[in-house]
Amino acid sequence: MNTIRTFFAAAVAATVFILPALAQTADFKPPKQCAAASTMGGMDDPSMGHGDDAPEPMTDIMGMGDMDLAAMPAHVQENMRRMMISTPAMHEGMMLEDADVAFACGMIAHHQGAIDMAEVLLAHGDDPKMRALAEAIIAAQVGEIAEITAWLAENAK
């Protein structure tokens, strides 16, 4: 029985250290099912920040247009850089015609945003409770992304 407990404890410990490495990087690319053409109907309005005539860069849409990002702390810069990747992917995913696929694609990008924030905290944060929470968030979100991606592979048309 002690051998089983030891093996289980070792497996859990290894998982905690491996999961951040398995998490998608800031070069996030949604599954191919999420890149399908969206059917925005009349919603392809430049004021929504998409379409050929998008009026402003993502920094303006996110309320950061006149901020000097380079003057901000490193963790803020990294969070903003990563958010500029996952936020448009979430928006695009939610615009898909099939409600289930739209939800799945939007959630993958949303979960990636949580992973990104947790990774930035692990790189820059000091509080043990926040670091433990960040590790738990990564583990949960990686698992949910895998579950959603598997669903998309089986169900998305």
Side-chain angles (χ1 to χ4, degrees), residues 12-120:
V12 168
T15 301
V16 167
F17 291 110
I18 291 171
L19 282 176
L22 296 176
Q24 297 173 8
T25 67
D27 297 324
F28 168 67
K29 296 198 182 1
K32 65 182 179 185
Q33 297 87 346
C34 299
S38 63
T39 55
M40 293 183 278
M43 294 185 292
D44 194 14
D45 185 302
S47 67
M48 294 182 71
H50 53 82
D52 293 335
D53 299 322
E56 59 237 356
M58 182 57 66
T59 53
D60 288 349
I61 293 169
M62 294 177 2
M64 301 171 33
D66 55 351
M67 292 183 189
D68 182 8
L69 192 59
M72 295 182 179
H75 72 277
V76 174
Q77 291 179 37
E78 186 63 13
N79 272 325
M80 294 293 94
R81 185 182 72 76
R82 290 175 178 228
M83 191 167 65
M84 286 184 220
I85 296 168
S86 62
T87 299
M90 182 173 60
H91 179 239
E92 183 177 323
M94 292 185 310
M95 300 304 288
L96 296 171
E97 181 176 349
D98 182 291
D100 296 316
V101 174
F103 172 78
C105 292
M107 287 307 292
I108 287 172
H110 177 70
H111 285 6
Q112 182 60 46
I115 290 169
D116 290 344
M117 291 171 60
E119 288 175 341
V120 171

